[in-house]
Amino acid sequence: MLVNYFKIAIAVLKRRKFFTFISLFGISLTLTIIIVLTAFMDYLLSPSHPDVKRERSLYVNMLRLEHTKKGMRMTGPMTFHYLNHFVGSMKTPEKVAIFSMFSPTNTYINSKKLVINVKHTNHDYWEVEEYQFLEGKPYTAEQIARAEKVTVISEEIKHAYFGEVPSVVGKFLETDNEQYRVIGVVKNVPITMIYSYADMYLPYTLSKEDKGDNKGMNGKYMAILLGRSKADLPAMEQEYQQVIRKIPVDSTMEYDKITGYADPYLAGFTRVFLGDDSGTGVTKFFLIIGLVLFLFMLLPTINLVNINSSRIMERSSEIAVRKAFGASSGTLAIQFIIENLILTFFGGIIGVALSAIVLWVFNNSQLIPNAALQINLMVLAATLGACLVFGLLSGVYPAWRMSRLQVVTALKSN
């Protein structure tokens, strides 16, 4: 019987080419957008090199200083001293990686300007983050303490600065009027990984703004707390709150209240925009994403319902004849739902193919340098789920209307 339904569906799709084109266009375009957005979200949130230990990591990316009486508030990254002295003394984390946000520096090669984004780090950073070294190795704790002018650079900067040479370890790179000896080259990291991305990595003792001697609170550094296992996360979060509460405050200073959090990867971002002291904002984030996707799918589904209703009602004579020969309303309804699922299935295949093309073009366009978006199992599962929802939502109502059609009414309409 399913084979017959399939043959009838193919015949109907060929007979009404315009309706078929409109339906397939709406389904495939909607699915393409959903798949691409899902792939982008998956790319942003899934662990990848070098930040592959997210499951047992907490991120400290901001500190809020308030003066509750004066109504003053300062929020942002922290100084190296704050993270090293207060956070670095925590007992639960196995390692505390401290690093700055990347900042641009200028250098010139053959009279051409080259912008190099620099990140300053401590030694634990190289043990928390698992960079793929193509040459050399990271700088040691002793080299950091001696403030040696050594650097690890990205593969991209190696080619841009030195050209196509086999090795650059031991060579010198000059930027911001300073020369640094290259001791390592790492595989490129996309800019969307803000905790890991940089063109050039330097010991924090070489920073011109904060070498660890700034005793204030707000600065340009962040930290990753690495637990021994995922089970350490609640204890690390609790211990960090204890650290915050023990920091002395003086109401005569610029602040009398300190607020800060050690959050999982996603929560570290959502708390900034959607969270507050009582929540990370992750639930709000997924509710907003879900609502946007629901509304985005609802509009084409309603259009598809109207198209299917028109398409089915045009077959009223066929329906009347089949009913006159004993076909039940349930049998006809199932047939039209299956026809619609077959149509949606073809739309899904086209949508997946279009998505693969769009992602290939996006990856090769370098709109996000070094990004590699791809369709994975989660995206395919979401696609199949979306196809099923599309097929059922847009097929059930027209089939229900058709099942209520009387034979006499159907014959009169023709």
Side-chain angles (χ1 to χ4, degrees):
M1 183 176 291
L2 288 176
V3 175
N4 290 332
Y5 286 163
F6 182 80
K7 291 180 178 177
I8 294 173
I10 297 298
V12 171
L13 294 179
K14 288 182 178 178
R15 189 172 62 194
R16 297 294 181 186
K17 292 185 175 61
F18 179 72
F19 280 143
T20 302
F21 170 77
I22 294 296
S23 301
L24 289 177
F25 179 78
I27 295 170
S28 58
L29 180 64
T30 303
L31 289 178
T32 298
I33 295 174
I34 292 174
I35 291 173
V36 171
L37 289 179
T38 308
F40 188 71
M41 290 296 298
D42 179 61
Y43 164 74
L44 288 180
L45 302 180
S46 297
S48 59
H49 280 283
D51 196 7
V52 295
K53 300 175 183 173
R54 289 182 188 172
E55 273 200 348
R56 55 189 181 108
S57 297
L58 292 179
Y59 298 79
V60 181
N61 57 14
M62 57 170 281
L63 189 72
R64 181 183 301 158
L65 305 178
E66 296 179 73
H67 200 298
T68 54
K69 295 179 180 177
K70 296 180 180 178
M72 298 172 58
R73 174 181 293 185
M74 293 184 295
T75 303
M78 297 133 280
T79 60
F80 185 90
H81 170 76
Y82 168 83
L83 292 170
N84 190 47
H85 181 72
F86 294 107
V87 183
S89 62
M90 291 173 61
K91 304 299 182 186
T92 312
E94 181 183 6
K95 299 286 181 182
V96 177
I98 303 175
F99 54 94
S100 67
M101 286 291 295
F102 61 84
S103 56
T105 61
N106 295 327
T107 190
Y108 293 89
I109 305 172
N110 299 326
S111 302
K112 291 185 178 179
K113 181 180 175 181
L114 175 65
V115 177
I116 300 178
N117 291 312
V118 175
K119 183 186 288 291
H120 295 88
T121 81
N122 69 348
H123 178 255
D124 282 352
Y125 181 82
W126 298 104
E127 298 185 0
V128 173
E129 296 282 89
E130 293 190 358
Y131 285 87
Q132 296 175 310
F133 273 81
L134 305 176
E135 296 179 40
K137 57 186 179 181
Y139 35 81
T140 65
E142 291 73 21
Q143 288 175 312
I144 295 176
R146 292 194 296 267
E148 285 189 29
K149 291 188 175 181
V150 291
T151 182
V152 173
I153 62 175
S154 68
E155 183 183 11
E156 182 178 5
I157 289 302
K158 169 192 170 183
H159 294 307
Y161 190 88
F162 295 102
E164 299 300 326
V165 294
S167 176
V168 296
V169 171
K171 295 180 180 292
F172 285 85
L173 183 153
E174 181 175 338
T175 186
D176 202 20
N177 298 319
E178 297 284 351
Q179 276 198 337
Y180 302 94
R181 180 167 57 88
V182 178
I183 61 171
V185 179
V186 294
K187 192 172 181 180
N188 295 328
V189 176
I191 196 171
T192 49
M193 300 180 67
I194 64 170
Y195 298 124
S196 312
Y197 167 78
D199 299 318
M200 186 175 180
Y201 303 84
L202 296 173
Y204 71 89
T205 47
L206 297 181
S207 171
K208 294 181 178 179
E209 301 170 0
D210 183 359
K211 301 178 181 178
D213 50 355
N214 183 352
K215 306 300 181 185
M217 308 294 276
N218 285 128
K220 65 174 187 176
Y221 285 90
M222 300 179 180
I224 301 175
L225 313 183
L226 180 67
R228 292 169 180 79
S229 70
K230 188 178 179 180
D232 284 346
L233 297 188
M236 287 199 299
E237 193 171 354
Q238 188 176 15
E239 186 181 1
Y240 183 64
Q241 290 306 311
Q242 293 173 353
V243 168
I244 293 280
R245 285 193 288 271
K246 290 180 181 177
I247 297 175
V249 293
D250 184 351
S251 59
T252 61
M253 300 172 63
E254 294 180 345
Y255 55 88
D256 59 6
K257 181 181 178 183
I258 302 174
T259 310
Y261 299 93
D263 288 317
Y265 187 79
L266 175 61
F269 294 104
T270 58
R271 187 186 289 279
V272 175
F273 302 103
L274 302 171
D276 50 32
D277 293 342
S278 60
T280 61
V282 171
T283 303
K284 290 181 184 177
F285 173 76
F286 282 114
L287 285 175
I288 292 173
I289 294 294
L291 180 62
V292 170
L293 285 177
F294 175 75
L295 293 176
F296 185 74
M297 292 178 62
L298 183 62
L299 292 178
T301 300
I302 292 175
N303 286 331
L304 200 56
V305 167
N306 291 328
I307 292 173
N308 285 337
S309 296
S310 301
R311 184 166 56 88
I312 289 175
M313 296 312 292
E314 283 188 348
R315 299 166 62 186
S316 56
S317 58
E318 174 194 337
I319 295 169
V321 171
R322 293 190 61 185
K323 277 195 169 185
F325 279 91
S328 66
S329 297
T331 301
L332 293 172
I334 291 174
Q335 175 194 330
F336 283 109
I337 290 176
I338 291 177
E339 284 182 15
N340 207 59
L341 286 175
I342 292 172
L343 177 68
T344 309
F345 175 74
F346 285 129
I349 292 177
I350 297 173
V352 172
L354 286 176
S355 301
I357 295 172
V358 170
L359 293 178
W360 181 82
V361 172
F362 181 85
N363 290 336
N364 286 280
S365 69
Q366 292 295 301
L367 287 175
I368 299 178
N370 305 315
L373 278 66
Q374 57 185 348
I375 302 175
N376 61 18
L377 293 178
M378 188 181 76
V379 176
L380 280 178
T383 304
L384 293 175
C387 284
L388 182 62
V389 172
F390 258 110
L392 289 177
L393 288 181
S394 60
V396 168
Y397 176 70
W400 176 77
R401 282 191 61 190
M402 178 278 306
S403 68
R404 292 171 58 88
L405 198 63
Q406 299 298 320
V407 175
V408 176
T409 305
L411 290 174
K412 282 184 177 178
S413 64
N414 291 277

